[in-house]
Amino acid sequence: MTDSSPSHAPVWQRSSSRQRLVKWVGLFWLVAFSVYCWQVMNEDTIWAFVEDAPAQAADIGERMFPPEWSYLGRLWQPLWDTLNMATLGTVLGVIMAVPVAFLAASNTTPSVRFIRPLALLIIVASRSINSLIWALLLVAIIGPGLLAGVIAIGLRSIGFVAKLLYEAIEEIDERQVDAVRATGASGLQVMNYAVVPQILPAFWGISVFRWDINIRESTILGLVGAGGLGLNLQSSLNVLAWNQVSMIFVVILLTVIASEWVSARVRQAVL
Amino acid sequence: MSTSLSTSSNPTQWRRPPVMFKRRWHGYLFLAAIVIYLITATWSIEVDWGRVQEGMARGWRFLQGFLVPDFTTRWRDIQQGLIESLTMTWTSTLAGILISIPIGIGAARNLAPAPIYFLCRSIITLSRSFQEIIIAILLVAMFGFGPFAGFLTLTFASIGFVAKLLAEEIEACEAVQIEAIRATGAGWWQVVNYAVQPQVMPRLIGLSLYRLDINFRESSVIGIVGAGGIGATLNTAIDRYEYDSAGAILIMIIAIVLVVEYSSSYIRRWVQ
């Protein structure tokens, strides 16, 4: 019985040899593709600048360090504008998103074949274009200012709100809808008494969540001319006033933390 | 028990109970506060109607450009921008995931000792608290214009996202399986490799694909502040009022996002 010598004892292995081969070949292609991408991307990179980066970073850090606290006085107005832009943009986005969500949800849409794909297309188009690009376009069309920012935020929010809302609509308890319909309620009454109460908590949760995201987004929309803190950021960057820039960063950070806190509290309360 | 009391207190009309507030007037007060705020906020927006009217013609031209996009005139720029965006997206997602895995493990309370846990959690918080654009501004100032700064921005932003969700997934792992592997006398590495990794792998792949999607969307804007990619091309096109080229670029962005989104949701369903 020489076969059962310890060197021939079977060893447990997680995957079969074929699986392992596939895994290694896949990994090889992944690495090769990534290296290729890396080289294509860095064709025009000037490595001298990259080597110089730590020195640059130290220099910028030094110039940023004491944030210019006196500049804070001039930031209250833009901060107020930023908050308004985010809030009004969210309201606008939500108003536009609600009908889209009802048209996209397979249990409330009037036509699964024609209207639902259209609503889904609106959702995807709105989500795939960043609010900064919307702002860039709107500033070119209606001129710089808060209005462009509000509309940009609104257009960008449609996709997010509508997507989450239509998922919530599709998850409702159909028995309640049947129950209300059994009382002889009309279509609108079914909406009002069976569908809306079920999605209302999700609706408030989604809206506040989007508002929180919009606060972040609206802080930078000014970079392309749409008003708010980003406008100050742009002008401070243009004159290389790094201590003003760091002051703006501090304000943005505090605003974002505050809005996140508010959003978390509200979502806890309604969901 | 007087019968008259019970009949008179029975309401004949049903009213829907208030959903969010315990008392009805709390709701009205809240509503009034919101309305007052919205009016104030709307009032603070100054609209130059003359400028808007002037812009409408431009808006119309843009819409026409979107319907009849011009891919050919600026094709070289668009092509270069797209290649930059795509390569940037791919390499930064990969680098971001590779860095996120150790940080995510370190940020999981059930695997890491306290000092490492706090270190990793603070890295995640730092990465999540600033918008990609702001990171891009700083990195462009340090590393110079071009896709390399964009690569670093997206890598940095990916870390916060992937590591945070990975850590949450590891913390939600089934402790029984970890205990079972540990009972065989396995070391820390073996626990990670045989008990944790199989549980979180599908989720990690899902997260990576989702982040790939986000990184492409972001790579289309960070060019506006000089970090390479299609955003720079788009910015130039709009600055030159070449709306037909801008429309072409936007259509391509939407198309690529669609492809990435559908294929990633397909792969996610297949993996999970």
Side-chain angles (χ1 to χ4, degrees):
Chain A
M1 288 293 178
T2 46
D3 279 334
S4 61
S5 65
S7 64
H8 287 278
V11 175
W12 181 79
Q13 278 179 330
R14 195 140 83 185
S15 39
S16 71
S17 58
R18 190 160 171 275
Q19 277 174 321
R20 255 175 298 156
L21 185 71
V22 170
K23 211 188 271 179
W24 283 111
V25 170
L27 203 64
F28 173 75
W29 279 110
L30 194 76
V31 171
F33 181 65
S34 303
V35 169
Y36 173 72
C37 281
W38 174 259
Q39 273 171 343
V40 170
M41 182 185 86
N42 285 315
E43 254 171 11
D44 302 321
T45 305
I46 302 166
W47 292 105
F49 283 163
V50 177
E51 277 163 36
D52 195 32
Q56 292 288 337
D59 181 42
I60 291 171
E62 203 174 285
R63 285 204 249 167
M64 276 175 114
F65 176 56
E68 196 184 315
W69 294 100
S70 57
Y71 189 54
L72 188 62
R74 281 193 283 154
L75 289 180
W76 294 118
Q77 181 63 36
L79 180 62
W80 173 242
D81 285 346
T82 301
L83 294 178
N84 288 343
M85 199 155 78
T87 313
L88 292 175
T90 312
V91 172
L92 184 71
V94 167
I95 290 173
M96 292 190 285
V98 169
V100 176
F102 276 102
L103 296 179
S106 50
N107 50 350
T108 52
T109 182
S111 154
V112 178
R113 190 156 317 151
F114 299 107
I115 296 181
R116 186 163 190 265
L118 202 67
L120 291 180
L121 185 73
I122 294 175
I123 291 175
V124 168
S126 152
R127 273 157 49 84
S128 54
I129 298 177
N130 199 293
S131 50
L132 207 59
I133 296 181
W134 282 120
L136 200 65
L137 277 175
L138 286 161
V139 166
I141 290 171
I142 59 176
L146 283 180
L147 185 67
V150 171
I151 299 176
I153 295 268
L155 288 174
R156 166 78 167 157
S157 306
I158 296 176
F160 181 92
V161 177
K163 182 177 160 67
L164 293 176
L165 195 62
Y166 97 73
E167 283 168 0
I169 296 173
E170 284 181 351
E171 279 166 16
I172 61 168
D173 184 358
E174 285 293 334
R175 286 175 307 173
Q176 299 185 25
V177 177
D178 288 342
V180 173
R181 193 171 284 140
T183 65
S186 68
L188 263 180
Q189 284 173 320
V190 170
M191 254 335 161
N192 192 18
Y193 290 99
V195 179
V196 170
Q198 288 194 62
I199 59 165
L200 211 55
F203 171 80
W204 286 112
I206 295 164
S207 306
V208 168
F209 190 20
R210 188 64 220 184
W211 172 79
D212 174 23
I213 299 174
N214 284 345
I215 294 266
R216 285 163 196 259
E217 306 232 311
S218 63
T219 54
I220 49 151
L221 287 187
L223 284 176
V224 294
L229 284 168
L231 225 51
N232 295 58
L233 186 60
Q234 183 72 293
S235 56
S236 298
L237 278 171
N238 281 344
V239 295
L240 298 176
W242 286 102
N243 47 3
Q244 290 183 356
V245 171
S246 59
M247 189 64 238
I248 296 170
F249 284 175
V250 170
V251 172
I252 290 178
L253 195 62
L254 293 178
T255 316
V256 166
I257 291 171
S259 74
E260 208 162 75
W261 184 80
V262 170
S263 144
R265 287 303 297 269
V266 173
R267 279 155 57 78
Q268 227 167 36
V270 298
L271 286 180
Chain B
M1 281 268 269
S2 73
T3 46
S4 65
L5 191 106
S6 65
T7 46
S8 67
S9 66
N10 263 348
T12 52
Q13 275 262 311
W14 182 79
R15 286 183 85 185
R16 193 162 66 191
V19 184
M20 264 179 67
F21 297 93
K22 287 201 186 73
R23 294 201 181 81
R24 207 170 282 273
W25 66 273
H26 280 184
Y28 289 138
L29 206 69
F30 183 65
L31 208 68
I34 288 182
V35 169
I36 290 171
Y37 167 72
L38 286 182
I39 292 171
T40 325
T42 316
W43 222 38
S44 74
I45 297 178
E46 286 156 19
V47 183
D48 181 355
W49 290 109
R51 176 69 181 76
V52 174
Q53 204 162 28
E54 197 182 300
M56 279 307 142
R58 245 180 245 163
W60 179 239
R61 278 224 328 264
F62 171 72
L63 205 66
Q64 281 176 320
F66 201 76
L67 294 174
V68 191
D70 176 10
F71 288 96
T72 44
T73 324
R74 297 251 159 246
W75 180 243
R76 286 192 56 82
D77 293 340
I78 296 174
Q79 193 191 23
Q80 201 204 343
L82 273 180
I83 288 174
E84 265 180 19
S85 266
L86 287 169
T87 50
M88 206 156 78
T89 307
W90 180 262
T91 48
S92 65
T93 309
L94 194 76
I97 293 164
L98 289 180
I99 302 172
S100 295
I101 290 171
I103 294 179
I105 293 174
R109 208 169 304 177
N110 51 353
L111 286 182
I116 294 182
Y117 172 77
F118 284 115
L119 177 73
C120 292
R121 282 283 161 178
S122 40
I123 294 175
I124 291 175
T125 313
L126 183 74
S127 149
R128 283 171 57 82
S129 48
F130 279 108
Q131 184 104 45
E132 278 88 344
I133 297 288
I134 290 178
I135 302 168
I137 291 172
L138 285 177
L139 289 174
V140 166
M142 288 173 199
F143 290 88
F145 293 101
F148 189 74
F151 161 76
L152 291 176
T153 307
L154 295 178
T155 305
F156 184 71
S158 304
I159 292 172
F161 180 87
V162 178
K164 179 175 195 270
L165 295 173
L166 181 64
E168 274 165 17
E169 189 65 19
I170 293 176
E171 284 174 353
C173 261
E174 271 205 57
V176 185
Q177 296 186 24
I178 296 175
E179 215 172 297
I181 298 287
R182 208 168 265 153
T184 64
W188 187 85
W189 278 112
Q190 285 171 318
V191 169
V192 171
N193 192 13
Y194 289 98
V196 176
Q197 192 229 336
Q199 288 192 58
V200 299
M201 208 53 193
R203 179 85 175 134
L204 179 64
I205 293 174
L207 281 178
S208 311
L209 289 168
Y210 189 31
R211 187 64 216 185
L212 189 73
D213 188 0
I214 300 178
N215 276 349
F216 179 74
R217 290 169 206 225
E218 290 298 331
S219 78
S220 67
V221 286
I222 53 178
I224 295 173
V225 294
I230 192 78
T233 321
L234 183 63
N235 199 6
T236 331
I238 292 176
D239 278 350
R240 289 182 185 148
Y241 300 116
E242 290 170 349
Y243 291 126
D244 38 5
S245 295
I249 295 171
L250 287 177
I251 288 173
M252 297 196 71
I253 292 177
I254 294 177
I256 293 177
V257 168
L258 266 177
V259 169
V260 173
E261 189 166 300
Y262 279 110
S263 52
S264 76
S265 71
Y266 177 75
I267 298 174
R268 276 212 296 271
R269 221 172 304 149
W270 181 63
V271 170
Q272 277 164 356

